[in-house]
Each structure stands twice: as C-alpha cells, then as structure tokens.
C-alpha cells in the first residue's frame, strides 16, 4: 500500500484557496492520509514555502505527535480541533498554529508543500515554542514515509 495524502480543501498542483491565504481566511485545510507503513507510532504535518525570499524558505505550519489512530484533520483543526496529544510549533510569522500564504506582492507564484509524515516514535521532543527547523530536524531522524500535496499561490498586489 502507498502512503497518500488527500484533502477536501486543497488540490495537488492547484491554486491555494482563499481560505488558506493569511489575509483572506487563514484556516488550516482538511487533510486525510492512508497507507501508513508498519511501525508508524504517530504522525506529523508541515506546510512549507520553499520560494519565500528568506534564503531558507518559510514555515507556515508544524504539527507533531498526532496519535497513530488518527487519519485526518478537519478544516480549521489548528484553531482548537487537533487530537489530544498533538502539538503545534511556531511559524515563521512568530505565532503558534497555522499561518496562511502571504507571499510578497509581485514575487510570482509560491509553492505551499503540505506534508504528512509517518513517524516511528509516539512523541517527538518538540513544543509550541519550537521552529519549523527544529521540527524538521527531528522528523529527519524519525520518518518512515511521507506524502505531500503542493499548491501554489501568487499575490498579484490586487486589492
């Protein structure tokens, strides 16, 4: 079986809906996954923009320690609907939770890579004060499989 990620809100290769744009909705999307490999003890989720003009990309969302019996997050889960035990990290906005797309006007389309990770431990040593880099570092050593959806968004500087 293949580890896959799907969503009712975002489409792989599609344009990010207004609900996932910071100034228009700022709502975490629905995500559902299936086909986790044997040995999966928890899940983690990230949303990362590699096109941000920072030299290191931009972390929009990090979630870890999602119990292994959970296979989806509802739309808006970042606003109080995460499963017990899950923890969200600090975005590059400096806030905890989901931070929607907000590329600079006229910078062209940015990619927003939503990734679910099958993790080989129940709990990663991360918390809500930690950066995406710390989540990524820990995931590097504990990922059994991962699945992604990549959507784009461009701020054309209109309205």
């Amino acid at each position: 079986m293949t580890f896959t990620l799907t969503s009712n809100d975002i489409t792989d290769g599609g344009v990010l809906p207004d609900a996932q744009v910071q100034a228009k909705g700022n709502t975490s999307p629905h995500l559902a996954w299936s086909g986790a490999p044997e040995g999966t003890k928890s899940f983690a989720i990230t949303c990362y923009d590699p096109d941000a003009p920072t030299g290191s990309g931009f972390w929009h969302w990090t979630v870890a320690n999602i119990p292994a019996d959970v296979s989806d997050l509802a739309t808006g889960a970042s606003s109080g609907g995460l499963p017990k035990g899950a923890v969200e990290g600090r975005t590059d906005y400096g806030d905890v939770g989901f931070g929607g797309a907000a590329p600079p006007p006229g910078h062209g389309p940015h990619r927003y890579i939503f990734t679910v990770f099958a993790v080989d431990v129940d709990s990663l040593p991360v918390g809500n004060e930690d950066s995406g880099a710390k989540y990524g570092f820990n995931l590097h050593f504990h990922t059994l499989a991962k699945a992604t959806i990549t959507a784009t968004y461009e701020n054309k500087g209109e309205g």
Side-chain angles (χ1 to χ4, degrees), residues 16-44:
L16 205 61
D18 285 352
Q20 281 71 55
V21 175
Q22 187 185 43
K24 298 180 179 182
N26 208 41
T27 303
S28 61
H30 164 263
L31 296 172
W33 51 92
S34 62
E38 187 174 332
T40 299
K41 295 184 178 177
S42 67
F43 296 99

Side-chain angles (χ1 to χ4, degrees), residues 50-125:
D51 304 310
T54 63
S56 60
F58 197 97
W59 293 97
H60 286 268
W61 197 24
T62 52
V63 186
N65 307 339
I66 299 169
D69 62 351
V70 173
S71 61
D72 73 310
L73 294 180
T75 302
S78 179
S79 298
L82 292 175
K84 185 176 180 175
V87 61
E88 291 179 291
R90 182 176 39 83
T91 69
D92 283 341
Y93 293 119
D95 301 319
V96 174
F98 179 79
H107 197 255
H110 284 215
R111 293 168 290 162
Y112 296 87
I113 304 169
F114 292 83
T115 305
V116 62
F117 299 82
V119 180
D120 68 358
V121 294
D122 293 324
S123 179
L124 293 172

